[in-house]
Amino acid sequence: MKKDVEFGIKEQLITKEKIQKRLKELGEQITEDFKNENEPLIVVGLLRGSIVFMADLIREIRLPLEIDFIEASSYGEGTQTSREVKILKDLRSTISGKNVLVVEDIIDSGFTLKKILQLLGSRNPKKVSLCTLLDKPERREVEIDVQYIGFEIPNEFVVGYGLDFNEIYRNLEYVGIAEPSVFE
């Protein structure tokens, strides 16, 4: 394995500066949308890809909030979804009657997220909203209602800023397009 963290990156798709600017905008919008609520906002990150985005996003939300995590998998070690969604880690907190903001790194086909949203919806939350760093609508196979979108991107295999290929590249400060040789 190459030791250079940027090995195999064809180009930067979204720079660190653009991400930081968009984070502030999303934080302001979410703050405005939930400012009149009495209960803390429950922010649920989808592990593992969302953790970098979520950590930066919650610092921009000027409201009382709690965090929790859920982990699901439908990819394994490949780049295509298997369509079999497995819950690997469930929430620790109760969300009944509470506002929930689900934070995702990227919405691709939508299968995994649809399963997660159905699961959370079955627990009687007051409201479930969705925030994603990246939206790839060209690949969507199921309808997903997204309230907060960082960036809409083309149908490219992207890594960085939490997104990985076989657990590598998550620590890049930007979102980059991977060379096909990286994942073929």
Side-chain angles (χ1 to χ4, degrees):
M1 181 173 83
K2 300 288 184 186
K3 297 205 185 261
D4 178 9
V5 70
E6 293 185 300
F7 170 78
I9 302 299
K10 183 166 61 171
E11 68 180 88
Q12 283 191 31
L13 181 63
I14 306 169
T15 65
K16 175 183 176 181
E17 294 75 22
K18 286 182 181 176
I19 292 170
Q20 290 173 337
K21 179 179 185 288
R22 187 66 182 128
L23 279 165
K24 288 186 185 314
E25 295 167 351
L26 288 169
E28 289 171 2
Q29 185 179 0
I30 292 164
T31 299
E32 180 64 26
D33 291 351
F34 290 94
K35 70 180 182 187
N36 295 323
E37 297 295 327
N38 294 324
E39 297 269 332
L41 178 64
I42 309 297
V43 181
V44 175
L46 270 64
L47 292 174
R48 293 180 211 155
S50 72
I51 195 159
V52 175
F53 174 50
M54 180 176 161
D56 289 344
L57 178 66
I58 63 173
R59 287 189 284 262
E60 300 296 336
I61 298 172
R62 303 291 182 226
L63 299 168
L65 57 80
E66 298 173 15
I67 63 170
D68 206 339
F69 297 95
I70 193 165
E71 184 175 11
S73 178
S74 65
Y75 282 86
E77 294 184 0
T79 61
Q80 300 294 317
T81 180
S82 67
R83 298 183 190 213
E84 180 183 332
V85 179
K86 297 176 187 170
I87 302 299
L88 305 176
K89 183 215 173 295
D90 207 343
L91 298 177
R92 291 178 66 185
S93 53
T94 302
I95 61 170
S96 180
K98 299 179 181 178
N99 288 304
V100 176
L101 177 67
V102 176
V103 178
E104 175 67 300
D105 56 355
I106 186 168
I107 303 174
D108 197 325
S109 69
F111 282 105
T112 302
L113 198 52
K114 186 169 183 84
K115 170 106 177 177
I116 296 292
L117 293 174
Q118 288 171 340
L119 175 67
L120 296 178
S122 72
R123 297 177 180 175
N124 302 313
K126 181 175 181 181
K127 178 180 181 180
V128 176
S129 301
L130 177 58
C131 180
T132 187
L133 173 64
L134 304 174
D135 186 20
K136 199 187 288 187
E138 189 177 330
R139 298 258 309 151
R140 192 87 73 252
E141 295 181 34
V142 296
E143 188 66 32
I144 300 287
D145 185 23
V146 187
Q147 290 70 39
Y148 309 101
I149 298 172
F151 302 93
E152 190 172 299
I153 64 168
N155 187 18
E156 296 277 0
F157 190 78
V158 293
V159 294
Y161 199 71
L163 290 97
D164 74 304
F165 176 70
N166 287 343
E167 299 301 323
I168 301 171
Y169 298 108
R170 292 190 195 277
N171 58 324
L172 293 175
E173 297 179 313
Y174 58 85
V175 174
I177 298 174
E179 293 280 0
S181 62
V182 168
F183 54 89
E184 289 177 341

